[in-house]
Amino acid sequence: MSAVVNVTRAWKSVGKGEEIGPPKTKKAKRTVTCNAKLTEDLIEHMKPLGLDAFVFQQPDGEYVRNSRFHKEVWQPLMAKLLEDGSLDRKPWIYEIRHAHTTRLLDANVPVHVVQARLGHEDPQTTLRVYARLSKASNAAAADALG
């Protein structure tokens, strides 16, 4: 059994604030299947929460705003990882999406499957914006030539 995440809403910048609203496009509403380890972790995390609860929430049950997450979770975690030597530079949060996409494409996951996970309307967007030549794909290309 694998957990699935139904993406039906997205963060929107509104003036100087932010709110949750519909995704930008029809295909941005999507279902993303999780691997076994993440499924296990999500099941454990969700045990004390209700079925309709936000997965990531503040102690009062409200959703975690993007800016609050960035300031209170992401920045302190990156500082800690830089300090202990786990990272050599501070990545920006969107790099997780880039790394996810590159790993999937390097693992020969079909581009239409990656496109669906990311919620892109067109597979060319996935390839143009996210597909970067990694060391693994470059080595695979060299090996293909014998």
Side-chain angles (χ1 to χ4, degrees), residues 32-74:
V32 179
T33 303
C34 302
N35 68 21
K37 175 64 174 134
L38 182 55
T39 296
E40 181 183 312
D41 291 346
L42 283 170
I43 289 171
E44 195 60 36
H45 175 76
M46 294 294 292
K47 279 182 181 177
L49 305 176
L51 289 176
D52 292 326
F54 290 106
V55 175
F56 304 106
Q57 55 183 272
Q58 298 177 49
D60 63 4
E62 285 293 309
Y63 58 85
V64 178
R65 292 184 178 280
N66 186 34
S67 58
R68 186 171 181 173
F69 172 82
H70 196 267
K71 184 171 69 174
E72 296 178 10
V73 178
W74 182 259

Side-chain angles (χ1 to χ4, degrees), residues 18 29 38 63 76 84 141-142:
E18 56 199 11
K29 287 187 176 184
L38 182 55
Y63 58 85
D84 74 11

Side-chain angles (χ1 to χ4, degrees), residues 19-131:
E19 65 183 32
I20 295 178
K24 289 188 280 188
T25 65
K26 183 178 177 181
K27 287 196 177 182
K29 287 187 176 184
R30 61 202 185 273
T31 299
V32 179
T33 303
C34 302
N35 68 21
K37 175 64 174 134
L38 182 55
T39 296
E40 181 183 312
D41 291 346
L42 283 170
I43 289 171
E44 195 60 36
H45 175 76
M46 294 294 292
K47 279 182 181 177
L49 305 176
L51 289 176
D52 292 326
F54 290 106
V55 175
F56 304 106
Q57 55 183 272
Q58 298 177 49
D60 63 4
E62 285 293 309
Y63 58 85
V64 178
R65 292 184 178 280
N66 186 34
S67 58
R68 186 171 181 173
F69 172 82
H70 196 267
K71 184 171 69 174
E72 296 178 10
V73 178
W74 182 259
Q75 289 179 355
L77 176 61
M78 293 305 103
K80 180 180 180 232
L81 293 173
L82 280 168
E83 186 178 300
D84 74 11
S86 297
L87 295 176
D88 58 356
R89 66 175 183 78
K90 183 178 177 183
W92 46 287
I93 199 164
Y94 216 72
E95 286 180 275
I96 294 171
R97 187 172 166 97
H98 284 270
H100 174 78
T101 306
T102 300
R103 299 254 338 245
L104 292 176
L105 294 171
D106 279 352
N108 295 317
V109 174
V111 70
H112 72 280
V113 174
V114 178
Q115 168 202 355
R117 287 181 71 88
L118 297 174
H120 290 152
E121 290 290 317
D122 182 350
Q124 289 305 312
T125 303
T126 306
L127 293 172
R128 185 181 67 253
V129 176
Y130 293 94

Side-chain angles (χ1 to χ4, degrees), residues 11-19 67:
W11 282 108
K12 305 286 181 182
S13 294
V14 179
K16 292 188 178 191
E18 56 199 11
E19 65 183 32
S67 58

